[in-house]
Amino acid sequence: MFPVFQKFFGRRSFAALTTASLAAVGLLASDLGTAAQAQSVNVYSYRQTFLMEPLFEAFEEETGLKVNFLYASKGLLERARAEGSLSPVDVFLTSDFGRLQDAKSMGLTQALDDEAINAALPAQYRDSEGHWFGLTRRARVIYAAKDRIDPASVQRYEDLTKPEFKGQICIRSGTHNYNIGLFAAMIASQGVEATEAWLTGIKANLARRPQGNDRAQVKAIKEGECSLAIGNTYYMGKMLNNPEQVAWAQAVNLIFPNQDDRGAHVNISGMALAKHAPNREAALSFMRFLLSDKAQAIYSAENYEYPVVPGVEPSELLQSWGDFKAEELPLSAMAAERSTASKLVEKLRFNN
Ligand code: FE
């Protein structure tokens, strides 16, 4: 069974698999429950293959364990739920804490109280009940046109609602996880009324209906459609290293908001141990490895993300953007406000 399993769970993307082969993977799950799998760890990942490849290689080299990897941009949690106790998945990887929380509330994860993991990771960046753990941090920052916006005028998220910025803000959909995280964090720290007023002010200043991804907003700044945007930090690294996008990056200043008060909003990519993980020990090795100094440094260099483990230096490029103060809110507290944030977006018809 094992070689067949590897064939389907190889390092090739999920998208390359046919419907027929996906069905085969599902059928294999029952066999895998009894197969000796101590030498491998099975990962369902919302993080793209090319992002994770260097980490898997380092892990395999260091431990001799094999990583079987299934990537999809959606549907992995639903898939694990359908597979139930026969699911081959050991570890979930996600690019957002919202999905980690979803995995927990769907009953797909198990609580973990691992000394090494708890010692590496500040309590702020893990589930209070041990169901999920941060792996990398990304700040959600303000991107401002170099030639049109004085950075001193937008030092806080709250500054974006100033009347002088009418028609100048671009942002992706209000219902996207990244924005829901930002809005939920604001509700948790500032209250729902203040957040509603803020969102109303942002909507009043939009240059266009929310659309596109984070990088599309920076592109729109470069093209003069707007002058201010909200986006995640690692996209700056991605744009700077993409010949077609470097001009977008060069058109903006990256501003860490609220440095004199609560700090910039930080989200995480993260991991969770699957409830029915057939390879628990290998999974634990893998999870501990991803929080090692070595893995944290790889993340920062390859993915332009901030280490979640204190004491690990961000890559040189990230250091060139300057130090920043992150908000201190536990992610669990934000998680609790996600549905309120979604309702607010709906109520204000933010995307319309
Ligand atoms: Fe992203």
Side-chain angles (χ1 to χ4, degrees):
M1 291 313 144
F2 187 51
V4 183
F5 177 75
Q6 282 205 347
K7 183 176 155 202
F8 290 121
F9 274 77
R11 296 295 183 65
R12 302 286 68 85
S13 80
F14 185 73
L17 299 175
T18 64
T19 309
S21 63
L22 283 176
V25 173
L27 289 173
L28 276 169
S30 58
D31 301 315
L32 286 161
T34 52
Q37 287 287 300
Q39 299 309 305
S40 66
V41 51
N42 301 328
V43 177
Y44 282 9
S45 176
Y46 284 112
R47 304 222 74 189
Q48 292 176 49
T49 315
F50 74 93
L51 292 177
M52 299 309 297
E53 193 90 20
L55 289 152
F56 294 160
E57 274 165 17
F59 172 72
E60 290 178 349
E61 207 168 282
E62 192 165 306
T63 63
L65 297 164
K66 170 102 177 73
V67 178
N68 299 312
F69 181 66
L70 184 63
Y71 162 75
S73 63
K74 51 183 143 185
L76 289 174
L77 298 183
E78 292 73 14
R79 179 186 179 83
R81 180 164 61 186
E83 290 166 342
S85 62
L86 299 175
S87 176
V89 63
D90 293 304
V91 176
F92 295 103
L93 293 178
T94 80
S95 55
D96 182 272
F97 92 99
R99 268 179 167 157
L100 293 169
Q101 191 65 22
D102 288 344
K104 180 186 176 185
S105 48
M106 286 166 74
L108 300 174
T109 57
Q110 60 174 291
L112 188 57
D113 189 13
D114 183 82
E115 226 174 280
I117 290 174
N118 292 346
L121 197 56
Q124 179 188 3
Y125 298 123
R126 50 186 151 94
D127 178 38
S128 53
E129 294 171 340
H131 281 262
W132 48 258
F133 304 88
L135 283 174
T136 62
R137 301 184 307 150
R138 58 280 293 279
R140 197 146 179 76
V141 297
I142 295 170
Y143 286 111
K146 274 183 186 166
D147 60 354
R148 305 190 288 281
I149 299 288
D150 174 8
S153 66
V154 275
Q155 290 296 299
R156 308 178 73 225
Y157 294 110
E158 287 81 349
D159 289 336
L160 292 170
T161 64
K162 289 178 180 173
E164 68 192 80
F165 298 136
K166 193 162 183 59
Q168 294 197 55
I169 297 177
C170 283
I171 192 168
R172 77 189 305 164
S173 166
T175 59
H176 189 274
N177 267 338
Y178 297 161
N179 280 336
I180 291 295
L182 172 65
F183 305 160
M186 195 177 274
I187 292 169
S189 69
Q190 310 301 301
V192 69
E193 274 173 38
T195 305
E196 178 167 353
W198 179 74
L199 269 176
T200 304
I202 295 283
K203 189 181 176 188
N205 282 349
L206 290 181
R208 58 180 188 181
R209 280 179 56 183
Q211 59 194 270
N213 56 24
D214 278 359
R215 271 179 282 192
Q217 318 310 319
V218 180
K219 179 177 187 236
I221 291 178
K222 162 71 181 163
E223 291 171 350
E225 202 173 347
C226 42
S227 301
L228 292 159
I230 293 177
N232 287 351
T233 40
Y234 55 88
Y235 289 118
M236 190 58 153
K238 289 186 175 199
M239 290 184 291
L240 287 170
N241 285 281
N242 181 327
E244 283 162 25
Q245 299 174 356
V246 63
W248 309 350
Q250 286 167 346
V252 295
N253 284 312
L254 186 165
I255 300 170
F256 292 105
N258 299 73
Q259 294 302 286
D260 293 332
D261 48 283
R262 65 183 182 274
H265 170 60
V266 164
N267 203 324
I268 54 165
S269 75
M271 61 182 171
L273 180 62
K275 183 171 186 184
H276 303 289
N279 311 296
R280 197 172 192 278
E281 283 313 307
L284 286 178
S285 302
F286 179 65
M287 292 172 80
R288 290 179 196 127
F289 173 80
L290 291 181
L291 288 170
S292 67
D293 289 6
K294 182 181 180 179
Q296 290 284 303
I298 293 174
Y299 265 124
S300 189
E302 306 272 340
N303 299 0
Y304 317 113
E305 293 178 270
Y306 291 92
V308 75
V309 174
V312 181
E313 292 279 312
S315 68
E316 254 174 58
L317 175 63
L318 272 65
Q319 287 185 39
S320 75
W321 303 336
D323 287 336
F324 76 98
K325 175 182 171 183
E327 66 189 351
E328 283 169 17
L329 208 64
L331 286 175
S332 291
M334 279 182 238
E337 303 297 349
R338 282 175 74 221
S339 66
T340 306
S342 296
K343 282 179 198 141
L344 213 46
V345 167
E346 221 170 285
K347 178 183 170 189
L348 298 177
R349 300 175 55 81
F350 188 78
N351 284 348
N352 297 107

